[in-house]
Amino acid sequence: RDKIFSVIRQRRTDLTVVMEDIHDPHNVSAMLRSADAVGILEVQLLYQIDEFARLGKKSSASASKWIKRRRFSSVSECYDRLHAEGFTILATHLGKRSRSLYDLDLTRKVALVFGNEHRGVSPEAARLADENFLIPMTGMIQSLNVSVACAVSLYEAFRQRCAAGAGQKLSDAEVRQLFDEWLKK
């Protein structure tokens, strides 16, 4: 009970991940584990082409049990909802105008968008995002595995938030409600 209360009190409502057509269940599971580790309450599942990956309990280390998931079937539907909730949408994209992850203010209410393992984020997801960003690299390969890119990005947001003492957490009523839900799991 103490562990559940402790974890729920650290859940963040102002940071989320959008997974666009991520098809490998191991990547989805790793992304969910990273989201759980930094206290994300809910992730967004945007599936227009691929089917949502079937998750095994072992591969997700049961992280899927503790993270809320919301599904969308179009970029505009997902982004409209997130904008209405006050999120700034930042999509990973290797473009001329993309900013370094380390130059972004990740203490604000942000949604980080990660695209398919082979295609990256869709052109529409990159174009409609508020900004595009990249993770600086100096090697020959200019991409990371999507779950690694997600973890690096989330931990930069986590680092910035810890340093600034920032983060929007749940109200006491929301904590109590989530506690009751989690006790049933």
Side-chain angles (χ1 to χ4, degrees):
R1 294 175 70 88
D2 290 342
K3 170 78 173 183
I4 291 172
F5 262 125
S6 173
V7 169
I8 291 172
R9 284 190 187 105
Q10 297 303 312
R11 283 296 191 231
R12 299 177 180 277
T13 60
D14 59 351
L15 178 62
T16 191
V17 168
V18 177
M19 297 181 205
E20 185 187 25
D21 286 318
I22 308 296
H23 71 272
D24 184 323
H26 295 96
N27 283 332
V28 172
S29 294
M31 293 169 81
L32 290 172
R33 282 195 309 274
S34 294
D36 176 64
V38 300
I40 289 177
L41 178 66
E42 178 180 78
V43 298
Q44 318 306 312
L45 306 175
L46 174 55
Y47 283 81
Q48 302 180 102
I49 298 171
D50 295 307
E51 294 290 321
F52 179 68
R54 184 181 174 111
L55 302 178
K57 287 187 180 187
K58 287 185 180 182
S59 64
S60 68
S62 297
S64 62
K65 180 176 177 179
W66 309 111
I67 303 287
K68 293 182 180 187
R69 296 181 305 266
R70 193 164 45 170
R71 293 178 187 246
F72 297 95
S73 58
S74 75
V75 173
S76 60
E77 174 192 16
C78 179
Y79 284 16
D80 287 349
R81 174 68 72 84
L82 291 170
H83 279 138
E85 293 170 356
F87 283 93
T88 297
I89 300 170
L90 308 172
T92 54
H93 178 68
L94 287 173
K96 292 177 186 175
R97 298 177 59 196
S98 296
R99 294 179 55 201
S100 167
L101 168 68
Y102 304 116
D103 292 335
L104 300 174
D105 175 6
L106 300 174
T107 62
R108 57 192 168 149
K109 192 170 187 175
V110 293
L112 302 174
V113 183
F114 300 91
N116 179 271
E117 293 90 331
H118 303 293
R119 298 180 300 271
V121 296
S122 66
E124 181 183 21
R127 182 175 42 80
L128 295 177
D130 297 305
E131 285 189 76
N132 292 165
F133 74 97
L134 53 82
I135 299 169
M137 294 179 221
T138 58
M140 294 294 289
I141 308 301
Q142 289 299 301
S143 66
L144 295 170
N145 173 283
V146 67
S147 65
V148 174
C150 178
V152 167
S153 302
L154 288 178
Y155 271 91
E156 175 59 13
F158 185 68
R159 183 196 67 77
Q160 286 185 24
R161 288 157 184 261
C162 288
Q168 182 179 345
K169 297 184 180 161
L170 300 172
S171 68
D172 288 342
E174 291 169 320
V175 167
R176 173 88 35 215
Q177 180 183 350
L178 194 56
F179 179 79
D180 292 342
E181 289 174 21
W182 282 18
L183 280 180
K184 295 173 187 171
K185 295 183 182 201

mmCIF file with all atom_site columns, all heavy atoms in Angstrom, residues 76 78-89 128-130:
data_model
loop_
_atom_site.group_PDB
_atom_site.id
_atom_site.type_symbol
_atom_site.label_atom_id
_atom_site.label_alt_id
_atom_site.label_comp_id
_atom_site.label_asym_id
_atom_site.label_entity_id
_atom_site.label_seq_id
_atom_site.pdbx_PDB_ins_code
_atom_site.Cartn_x
_atom_site.Cartn_y
_atom_site.Cartn_z
_atom_site.occupancy
_atom_site.B_iso_or_equiv
_atom_site.pdbx_formal_charge
_atom_site.auth_seq_id
_atom_site.auth_comp_id
_atom_site.auth_asym_id
_atom_site.auth_atom_id
_atom_site.pdbx_PDB_model_num
ATOM 1   N N   . SER A 1 76  ? -4.472  14.079 -36.648 1.00 0.00 ? 76  SER A N   1
ATOM 2   C CA  . SER A 1 76  ? -5.246  15.268 -36.280 1.00 0.00 ? 76  SER A CA  1
ATOM 3   C C   . SER A 1 76  ? -6.099  15.023 -35.035 1.00 0.00 ? 76  SER A C   1
ATOM 4   O O   . SER A 1 76  ? -6.180  15.887 -34.157 1.00 0.00 ? 76  SER A O   1
ATOM 5   C CB  . SER A 1 76  ? -6.105  15.748 -37.449 1.00 0.00 ? 76  SER A CB  1
ATOM 6   O OG  . SER A 1 76  ? -7.004  14.753 -37.849 1.00 0.00 ? 76  SER A OG  1
ATOM 7   N N   . CYS A 1 78  ? -5.469  12.922 -32.558 1.00 0.00 ? 78  CYS A N   1
ATOM 8   C CA  . CYS A 1 78  ? -4.551  12.855 -31.423 1.00 0.00 ? 78  CYS A CA  1
ATOM 9   C C   . CYS A 1 78  ? -4.038  14.244 -31.041 1.00 0.00 ? 78  CYS A C   1
ATOM 10  O O   . CYS A 1 78  ? -4.125  14.662 -29.885 1.00 0.00 ? 78  CYS A O   1
ATOM 11  C CB  . CYS A 1 78  ? -3.384  11.931 -31.771 1.00 0.00 ? 78  CYS A CB  1
ATOM 12  S SG  . CYS A 1 78  ? -2.140  11.778 -30.468 1.00 0.00 ? 78  CYS A SG  1
ATOM 13  N N   . TYR A 1 79  ? -3.539  14.974 -32.033 1.00 0.00 ? 79  TYR A N   1
ATOM 14  C CA  . TYR A 1 79  ? -2.966  16.297 -31.760 1.00 0.00 ? 79  TYR A CA  1
ATOM 15  C C   . TYR A 1 79  ? -4.028  17.285 -31.294 1.00 0.00 ? 79  TYR A C   1
ATOM 16  O O   . TYR A 1 79  ? -3.770  18.099 -30.406 1.00 0.00 ? 79  TYR A O   1
ATOM 17  C CB  . TYR A 1 79  ? -2.257  16.835 -32.998 1.00 0.00 ? 79  TYR A CB  1
ATOM 18  C CG  . TYR A 1 79  ? -0.908  16.225 -33.302 1.00 0.00 ? 79  TYR A CG  1
ATOM 19  C CD1 . TYR A 1 79  ? -0.482  15.033 -32.721 1.00 0.00 ? 79  TYR A CD1 1
ATOM 20  C CD2 . TYR A 1 79  ? -0.046  16.845 -34.186 1.00 0.00 ? 79  TYR A CD2 1
ATOM 21  C CE1 . TYR A 1 79  ? 0.754   14.487 -33.016 1.00 0.00 ? 79  TYR A CE1 1
ATOM 22  C CE2 . TYR A 1 79  ? 1.200   16.313 -34.483 1.00 0.00 ? 79  TYR A CE2 1
ATOM 23  C CZ  . TYR A 1 79  ? 1.593   15.133 -33.894 1.00 0.00 ? 79  TYR A CZ  1
ATOM 24  O OH  . TYR A 1 79  ? 2.827   14.606 -34.185 1.00 0.00 ? 79  TYR A OH  1
ATOM 25  N N   . ASP A 1 80  ? -5.217  17.234 -31.877 1.00 0.00 ? 80  ASP A N   1
ATOM 26  C CA  . ASP A 1 80  ? -6.295  18.129 -31.439 1.00 0.00 ? 80  ASP A CA  1
ATOM 27  C C   . ASP A 1 80  ? -6.619  17.901 -29.963 1.00 0.00 ? 80  ASP A C   1
ATOM 28  O O   . ASP A 1 80  ? -6.789  18.857 -29.200 1.00 0.00 ? 80  ASP A O   1
ATOM 29  C CB  . ASP A 1 80  ? -7.556  17.937 -32.286 1.00 0.00 ? 80  ASP A CB  1
ATOM 30  C CG  . ASP A 1 80  ? -7.432  18.510 -33.687 1.00 0.00 ? 80  ASP A CG  1
ATOM 31  O OD1 . ASP A 1 80  ? -6.455  19.245 -33.968 1.00 0.00 ? 80  ASP A OD1 1
ATOM 32  O OD2 . ASP A 1 80  ? -8.316  18.205 -34.524 1.00 0.00 ? 80  ASP A OD2 1
ATOM 33  N N   . ARG A 1 81  ? -6.694  16.646 -29.557 1.00 0.00 ? 81  ARG A N   1
ATOM 34  C CA  . ARG A 1 81  ? -7.000  16.327 -28.159 1.00 0.00 ? 81  ARG A CA  1
ATOM 35  C C   . ARG A 1 81  ? -5.878  16.827 -27.243 1.00 0.00 ? 81  ARG A C   1
ATOM 36  O O   . ARG A 1 81  ? -6.124  17.445 -26.210 1.00 0.00 ? 81  ARG A O   1
ATOM 37  C CB  . ARG A 1 81  ? -7.191  14.822 -27.994 1.00 0.00 ? 81  ARG A CB  1
ATOM 38  C CG  . ARG A 1 81  ? -7.375  14.365 -26.560 1.00 0.00 ? 81  ARG A CG  1
ATOM 39  C CD  . ARG A 1 81  ? -8.685  14.805 -25.906 1.00 0.00 ? 81  ARG A CD  1
ATOM 40  N NE  . ARG A 1 81  ? -9.811  14.107 -26.410 1.00 0.00 ? 81  ARG A NE  1
ATOM 41  C CZ  . ARG A 1 81  ? -10.242 12.917 -26.002 1.00 0.00 ? 81  ARG A CZ  1
ATOM 42  N NH1 . ARG A 1 81  ? -9.606  12.299 -25.027 1.00 0.00 ? 81  ARG A NH1 1
ATOM 43  N NH2 . ARG A 1 81  ? -11.286 12.360 -26.536 1.00 0.00 ? 81  ARG A NH2 1
ATOM 44  N N   . LEU A 1 82  ? -4.637  16.546 -27.630 1.00 0.00 ? 82  LEU A N   1
ATOM 45  C CA  . LEU A 1 82  ? -3.505  16.972 -26.802 1.00 0.00 ? 82  LEU A CA  1
ATOM 46  C C   . LEU A 1 82  ? -3.412  18.494 -26.716 1.00 0.00 ? 82  LEU A C   1
ATOM 47  O O   . LEU A 1 82  ? -3.173  19.048 -25.637 1.00 0.00 ? 82  LEU A O   1
ATOM 48  C CB  . LEU A 1 82  ? -2.197  16.379 -27.330 1.00 0.00 ? 82  LEU A CB  1
ATOM 49  C CG  . LEU A 1 82  ? -2.066  14.863 -27.156 1.00 0.00 ? 82  LEU A CG  1
ATOM 50  C CD1 . LEU A 1 82  ? -0.854  14.336 -27.914 1.00 0.00 ? 82  LEU A CD1 1
ATOM 51  C CD2 . LEU A 1 82  ? -1.991  14.487 -25.681 1.00 0.00 ? 82  LEU A CD2 1
ATOM 52  N N   . HIS A 1 83  ? -3.625  19.180 -27.841 1.00 0.00 ? 83  HIS A N   1
ATOM 53  C CA  . HIS A 1 83  ? -3.621  20.651 -27.811 1.00 0.00 ? 83  HIS A CA  1
ATOM 54  C C   . HIS A 1 83  ? -4.731  21.180 -26.906 1.00 0.00 ? 83  HIS A C   1
ATOM 55  O O   . HIS A 1 83  ? -4.526  22.124 -26.134 1.00 0.00 ? 83  HIS A O   1
ATOM 56  C CB  . HIS A 1 83  ? -3.759  21.228 -29.219 1.00 0.00 ? 83  HIS A CB  1
ATOM 57  C CG  . HIS A 1 83  ? -2.476  21.244 -29.980 1.00 0.00 ? 83  HIS A CG  1
ATOM 58  N ND1 . HIS A 1 83  ? -2.392  20.891 -31.309 1.00 0.00 ? 83  HIS A ND1 1
ATOM 59  C CD2 . HIS A 1 83  ? -1.217  21.576 -29.609 1.00 0.00 ? 83  HIS A CD2 1
ATOM 60  C CE1 . HIS A 1 83  ? -1.142  21.001 -31.714 1.00 0.00 ? 83  HIS A CE1 1
ATOM 61  N NE2 . HIS A 1 83  ? -0.401  21.413 -30.702 1.00 0.00 ? 83  HIS A NE2 1
ATOM 62  N N   . ALA A 1 84  ? -5.917  20.587 -26.990 1.00 0.00 ? 84  ALA A N   1
ATOM 63  C CA  . ALA A 1 84  ? -7.036  21.013 -26.151 1.00 0.00 ? 84  ALA A CA  1
ATOM 64  C C   . ALA A 1 84  ? -6.712  20.842 -24.670 1.00 0.00 ? 84  ALA A C   1
ATOM 65  O O   . ALA A 1 84  ? -7.221  21.579 -23.823 1.00 0.00 ? 84  ALA A O   1
ATOM 66  C CB  . ALA A 1 84  ? -8.299  20.226 -26.517 1.00 0.00 ? 84  ALA A CB  1
ATOM 67  N N   . GLU A 1 85  ? -5.856  19.882 -24.357 1.00 0.00 ? 85  GLU A N   1
ATOM 68  C CA  . GLU A 1 85  ? -5.449  19.635 -22.975 1.00 0.00 ? 85  GLU A CA  1
ATOM 69  C C   . GLU A 1 85  ? -4.230  20.468 -22.568 1.00 0.00 ? 85  GLU A C   1
ATOM 70  O O   . GLU A 1 85  ? -3.727  20.326 -21.452 1.00 0.00 ? 85  GLU A O   1
ATOM 71  C CB  . GLU A 1 85  ? -5.166  18.142 -22.783 1.00 0.00 ? 85  GLU A CB  1
ATOM 72  C CG  . GLU A 1 85  ? -6.431  17.298 -22.915 1.00 0.00 ? 85  GLU A CG  1
ATOM 73  C CD  . GLU A 1 85  ? -6.150  15.804 -22.965 1.00 0.00 ? 85  GLU A CD  1
ATOM 74  O OE1 . GLU A 1 85  ? -4.963  15.393 -22.968 1.00 0.00 ? 85  GLU A OE1 1
ATOM 75  O OE2 . GLU A 1 85  ? -7.126  15.043 -23.005 1.00 0.00 ? 85  GLU A OE2 1
ATOM 76  N N   . GLY A 1 86  ? -3.741  21.301 -23.491 1.00 0.00 ? 86  GLY A N   1
ATOM 77  C CA  . GLY A 1 86  ? -2.648  22.207 -23.167 1.00 0.00 ? 86  GLY A CA  1
ATOM 78  C C   . GLY A 1 86  ? -1.251  21.692 -23.451 1.00 0.00 ? 86  GLY A C   1
ATOM 79  O O   . GLY A 1 86  ? -0.267  22.315 -23.040 1.00 0.00 ? 86  GLY A O   1
ATOM 80  N N   . PHE A 1 87  ? -1.140  20.580 -24.148 1.00 0.00 ? 87  PHE A N   1
ATOM 81  C CA  . PHE A 1 87  ? 0.182   20.030 -24.459 1.00 0.00 ? 87  PHE A CA  1
ATOM 82  C C   . PHE A 1 87  ? 0.810   20.744 -25.643 1.00 0.00 ? 87  PHE A C   1
ATOM 83  O O   . PHE A 1 87  ? 0.134   21.096 -26.604 1.00 0.00 ? 87  PHE A O   1
ATOM 84  C CB  . PHE A 1 87  ? 0.087   18.534 -24.817 1.00 0.00 ? 87  PHE A CB  1
ATOM 85  C CG  . PHE A 1 87  ? -0.090  17.636 -23.637 1.00 0.00 ? 87  PHE A CG  1
ATOM 86  C CD1 . PHE A 1 87  ? -1.365  17.257 -23.221 1.00 0.00 ? 87  PHE A CD1 1
ATOM 87  C CD2 . PHE A 1 87  ? 1.009   17.144 -22.941 1.00 0.00 ? 87  PHE A CD2 1
ATOM 88  C CE1 . PHE A 1 87  ? -1.542  16.422 -22.139 1.00 0.00 ? 87  PHE A CE1 1
ATOM 89  C CE2 . PHE A 1 87  ? 0.845   16.309 -21.851 1.00 0.00 ? 87  PHE A CE2 1
ATOM 90  C CZ  . PHE A 1 87  ? -0.440  15.938 -21.451 1.00 0.00 ? 87  PHE A CZ  1
ATOM 91  N N   . THR A 1 88  ? 2.125   20.930 -25.582 1.00 0.00 ? 88  THR A N   1
ATOM 92  C CA  . THR A 1 88  ? 2.942   21.307 -26.727 1.00 0.00 ? 88  THR A CA  1
ATOM 93  C C   . THR A 1 88  ? 3.442   19.993 -27.305 1.00 0.00 ? 88  THR A C   1
ATOM 94  O O   . THR A 1 88  ? 3.933   19.129 -26.567 1.00 0.00 ? 88  THR A O   1
ATOM 95  C CB  . THR A 1 88  ? 4.136   22.179 -26.294 1.00 0.00 ? 88  THR A CB  1
ATOM 96  O OG1 . THR A 1 88  ? 3.627   23.386 -25.725 1.00 0.00 ? 88  THR A OG1 1
ATOM 97  C CG2 . THR A 1 88  ? 5.042   22.502 -27.468 1.00 0.00 ? 88  THR A CG2 1
ATOM 98  N N   . ILE A 1 89  ? 3.315   19.834 -28.617 1.00 0.00 ? 89  ILE A N   1
ATOM 99  C CA  . ILE A 1 89  ? 3.656   18.559 -29.261 1.00 0.00 ? 89  ILE A CA  1
ATOM 100 C C   . ILE A 1 89  ? 5.014   18.673 -29.939 1.00 0.00 ? 89  ILE A C   1
ATOM 101 O O   . ILE A 1 89  ? 5.223   19.536 -30.797 1.00 0.00 ? 89  ILE A O   1
ATOM 102 C CB  . ILE A 1 89  ? 2.550   18.153 -30.252 1.00 0.00 ? 89  ILE A CB  1
ATOM 103 C CG1 . ILE A 1 89  ? 1.231   17.988 -29.501 1.00 0.00 ? 89  ILE A CG1 1
ATOM 104 C CG2 . ILE A 1 89  ? 2.951   16.878 -30.990 1.00 0.00 ? 89  ILE A CG2 1
ATOM 105 C CD1 . ILE A 1 89  ? 0.020   17.823 -30.380 1.00 0.00 ? 89  ILE A CD1 1
ATOM 106 N N   . LEU A 1 128 ? 2.567   18.668 -38.451 1.00 0.00 ? 128 LEU A N   1
ATOM 107 C CA  . LEU A 1 128 ? 1.559   19.239 -37.554 1.00 0.00 ? 128 LEU A CA  1
ATOM 108 C C   . LEU A 1 128 ? 2.047   19.440 -36.118 1.00 0.00 ? 128 LEU A C   1
ATOM 109 O O   . LEU A 1 128 ? 1.359   20.068 -35.317 1.00 0.00 ? 128 LEU A O   1
ATOM 110 C CB  . LEU A 1 128 ? 0.297   18.370 -37.555 1.00 0.00 ? 128 LEU A CB  1
ATOM 111 C CG  . LEU A 1 128 ? -0.471  18.304 -38.882 1.00 0.00 ? 128 LEU A CG  1
ATOM 112 C CD1 . LEU A 1 128 ? -1.662  17.361 -38.768 1.00 0.00 ? 128 LEU A CD1 1
ATOM 113 C CD2 . LEU A 1 128 ? -0.908  19.700 -39.321 1.00 0.00 ? 128 LEU A CD2 1
ATOM 114 N N   . ALA A 1 129 ? 3.226   18.904 -35.799 1.00 0.00 ? 129 ALA A N   1
ATOM 115 C CA  . ALA A 1 129 ? 3.783   19.089 -34.456 1.00 0.00 ? 129 ALA A CA  1
ATOM 116 C C   . ALA A 1 129 ? 4.140   20.559 -34.254 1.00 0.00 ? 129 ALA A C   1
ATOM 117 O O   . ALA A 1 129 ? 4.430   21.282 -35.209 1.00 0.00 ? 129 ALA A O   1
ATOM 118 C CB  . ALA A 1 129 ? 5.021   18.211 -34.286 1.00 0.00 ? 129 ALA A CB  1
ATOM 119 N N   . ASP A 1 130 ? 4.151   20.994 -33.017 1.00 0.00 ? 130 ASP A N   1
ATOM 120 C CA  . ASP A 1 130 ? 4.547   22.363 -32.705 1.00 0.00 ? 130 ASP A CA  1
ATOM 121 C C   . ASP A 1 130 ? 6.022   22.586 -33.012 1.00 0.00 ? 130 ASP A C   1
ATOM 122 O O   . ASP A 1 130 ? 6.410   23.674 -33.436 1.00 0.00 ? 130 ASP A O   1
ATOM 123 C CB  . ASP A 1 130 ? 4.252   22.674 -31.237 1.00 0.00 ? 130 ASP A CB  1
ATOM 124 C CG  . ASP A 1 130 ? 2.762   22.585 -30.945 1.00 0.00 ? 130 ASP A CG  1
ATOM 125 O OD1 . ASP A 1 130 ? 1.980   23.260 -31.633 1.00 0.00 ? 130 ASP A OD1 1
ATOM 126 O OD2 . ASP A 1 130 ? 2.387   21.820 -30.038 1.00 0.00 ? 130 ASP A OD2 1
#
